[in-house]
Amino acid sequence: MHTVTKRELNQNTAAVLDSVTATDDLVVTERGTPRWRVSTVRDHDTTLARLEREGRYVPPAVTPAPWPDHPGGPSYTVEQVDDLLDEMRGDH
């Protein structure tokens, strides 16, 4: 994000506005404090596109992470599973 002072914007308006691009907004400061944001007009700007440009949304990855070949966690025998199910049912 590009930053200019209010005075610089006043004295070099055309040059400063030319520095605003579709992907880079301009912040105008007054006495060192950011006061205004200048950006290009986007006619077909969707809500997600605006949030992504503002850095408040990250789209999902194009290729998702692969499933693990051998998921971790404990392994149970058939007898252990039967005992757990009996305990859950109250048949013990």
Side-chain angles (χ1 to χ4, degrees):
M1 195 173 300
H2 188 70
T3 304
V4 297
T5 64
K6 180 179 171 184
R7 179 179 176 148
E8 185 179 351
L9 176 62
N10 184 30
Q11 293 177 348
N12 304 311
T13 305
V16 169
L17 291 179
D18 284 342
S19 71
V20 178
T21 64
T23 57
D24 192 24
D25 293 346
L26 171 73
V27 174
V28 181
T29 61
E30 183 177 37
R31 296 187 180 124
T33 305
R35 294 286 310 266
W36 303 277
R37 175 175 289 143
V38 180
S39 62
T40 60
V41 175
R42 296 166 182 96
D43 292 336
H44 302 289
D45 203 6
T46 64
T47 303
L48 283 180
R50 180 180 52 80
L51 292 174
E52 184 177 358
R53 187 180 70 250
E54 293 172 357
R56 297 170 51 197
Y57 167 73
V58 177
V62 177
T63 55
W67 286 95
D69 292 334
H70 303 287
S75 10
Y76 298 100
T77 64
V78 174
E79 293 80 22
Q80 290 173 320
V81 172
D82 287 340
D83 290 342
L84 286 171
L85 289 174
D86 288 342
E87 186 179 325
M88 286 174 38
R89 292 184 192 126
D91 296 340
H92 55 284

